Amino acid sequence: STANGTSHGAPLMLDYVVLDGIEVRNVQAVIVRDELLQTNLLGASFLNRLHRFEISDNTLYIED
């Protein structure tokens, strides 16, 4: 379930995700059909494993 209602997706485990030089291993992810999203989402399964993250003025700041 999402804020927009029920949706279907295929869960998987990514070996790693690298963003701005920060690497997080074994990240849970979901694949959905292209028409369901207008952009890719960076979820809590990645963000919660960082030391710190902040969103300010439409910019995401991350720290490992």
Side-chain angles (χ1 to χ4, degrees):
S1 294
T2 71
N4 289 329
T6 302
S7 184
H8 300 280
L12 74 148
M13 182 70 70
L14 300 174
D15 291 336
Y16 60 91
V17 173
V18 179
L19 180 64
D20 198 29
I22 296 174
E23 180 177 310
V24 176
R25 296 192 163 275
N26 302 316
V27 178
Q28 293 178 336
V30 176
I31 297 174
V32 298
R33 294 188 345 231
D34 283 344
E35 61 270 13
L36 294 178
L37 295 175
Q38 294 177 357
T39 186
N40 294 323
L41 298 177
L42 186 60
S45 61
F46 176 86
L47 293 172
N48 286 337
R49 297 189 37 210
L50 299 174
H51 175 72
R52 186 174 92 77
F53 69 92
E54 175 184 339
I55 300 172
S56 178
D57 295 326
N58 251 359
T59 302
L60 173 64
Y61 300 93
I62 60 175
E63 183 180 324
D64 67 344

